[in-house]
Amino acid sequence: MCKKKTCLEVCVDSFASAMAAVRGGADRLELCSCLIVGGLTPDVALLEQIRRETELPIRCLMRPRFGDFLYTEEEIRLMETQIPRLAAAGADGFVIGCLTPEGDLDGRNLERLVRAAGGRGLTLHRAFDVCRDGRRTLREAAQLGLATVLTSGQAADAYTGRALLARMQQQAAGRIEILAGSGVHADNIPLLVRETGILSYHLSGKKTIPSRMIFRRPGVPMGLPGFEEFELWQTDPEAVRRARQALDSL
């Protein structure tokens, strides 16, 4: 958990975004790659690059692929291998989550990842938001020793899910940090605090930056359809700063 009363975690997938989050006043970074697909496990070299420039706590997302959270034995082994390497490179904690085919928390495989983390801070990621029974999953996450649950309240965004977030905050009762995320920004943080009592928030604060390319060949997509190759997503330090001010004003 954050040592401060409030916590502002910023999710970043590049060095530039990490430095923007630091300048904006983030308390903690969630480091990943490929935010465009919801985030994947980051590269060790990127973590090392960021760690050289900041002492902020960094939790690394452990997600070997996009899609669901039902993982094969090989994918669990991969994460077990990656976690110690990221820890050695400076990760303070990890963001993890596994589900069974029935939509329950996969406690057996989560225990393996918890052991691999060696006592570092752990967040249950938004696998929570697609689980079958949120109350049960929150209880099991606390029993496994996880410090944080990142959630939108099982809705498309945190404000829409605010009723469940409020109930989760009551159920957590200080035993586990509820970190509200998805669609969070400076303007709705005060509303969410008032309606849920939650004091920890997660955002990317991203803005779109035009590519510096001069020559541009149209009609040759490199990835997901519908996304522009000549636009970059990057954290906006001003968006982080405004969110920081919103929390600090409480």
Side-chain angles (χ1 to χ4, degrees):
M1 297 187 186
C2 277
K3 295 180 181 180
K4 298 166 62 176
K5 178 183 176 184
T6 60
C7 184
L8 182 64
E9 179 180 272
V10 180
C11 187
V12 299
D13 64 355
S14 69
F15 178 81
S17 285
M19 295 303 99
V22 171
R23 293 196 305 274
D27 294 308
R28 185 171 68 210
L29 303 179
E30 181 195 303
L31 181 62
C32 64
S33 64
C34 300
L35 263 176
I36 201 167
V37 294
L40 301 175
T41 303
D43 186 78
V44 170
L46 175 60
L47 171 61
E48 291 173 337
Q49 186 182 43
I50 294 168
R51 179 47 80 207
R52 284 193 290 268
E53 300 297 328
T54 181
E55 295 182 358
L56 277 186
I58 301 174
R59 291 186 184 177
C60 290
L61 176 64
M62 304 311 302
R63 190 181 180 211
R65 55 163 174 77
F66 78 96
D68 63 33
F69 304 107
L70 176 61
Y71 294 120
T72 65
E73 172 63 21
E74 291 74 21
E75 288 168 334
I76 295 294
R77 287 179 184 171
L78 174 62
M79 289 187 281
E80 285 180 309
T81 301
Q82 291 169 321
I83 285 173
R85 293 177 182 176
L86 288 163
D92 299 285
F94 299 93
V95 183
I96 60 176
C98 311
L99 297 177
T100 68
E102 296 76 25
D104 297 318
L105 204 63
D106 185 347
R108 182 177 63 85
N109 281 324
L110 269 179
E111 284 178 353
R112 292 169 62 178
L113 301 183
V114 169
R115 286 195 297 272
R120 291 170 178 83
L122 294 171
T123 299
L124 174 62
H125 59 48
R126 293 189 64 208
F128 177 90
D129 285 326
V130 292
C131 76
R132 181 174 59 165
D133 185 336
R135 177 173 287 275
R136 174 182 172 183
T137 297
L138 180 57
R139 182 176 65 250
E140 291 176 346
Q143 290 170 347
L144 282 167
L146 276 67
T148 303
V149 174
L150 169 61
T151 174
S152 63
Q154 298 192 323
D157 61 82
Y159 191 71
T160 301
R162 64 192 183 280
L164 179 57
L165 286 172
R167 293 195 295 272
M168 290 179 64
Q169 181 71 356
Q170 291 178 342
Q171 183 185 350
R175 294 179 297 114
I176 191 167
E177 176 186 47
I178 304 301
L179 180 65
S182 185
V184 168
H185 49 77
D187 293 335
N188 63 16
I189 284 175
L191 301 173
L192 284 163
V193 171
R194 185 174 66 243
E195 297 195 29
T196 69
I198 291 171
L199 297 176
S200 297
Y201 290 90
H202 170 102
L203 54 85
S204 64
K206 63 180 177 288
K207 63 179 178 180
T208 301
I209 298 176
S211 167
R212 294 182 291 112
M213 287 292 298
I214 297 172
F215 173 76
R216 302 186 178 192
R217 185 177 300 281
V220 187
M222 295 292 165
L224 294 173
F227 286 93
E228 174 58 60
E229 260 68 38
F230 298 107
E231 290 180 350
L232 306 176
W233 287 3
Q234 195 172 106
T235 297
D236 180 0
E238 183 56 30
V240 178
R241 189 172 296 113
R242 290 183 62 233
R244 171 82 276 153
Q245 292 169 347
L247 272 176
D248 288 345
S249 68
L250 298 172

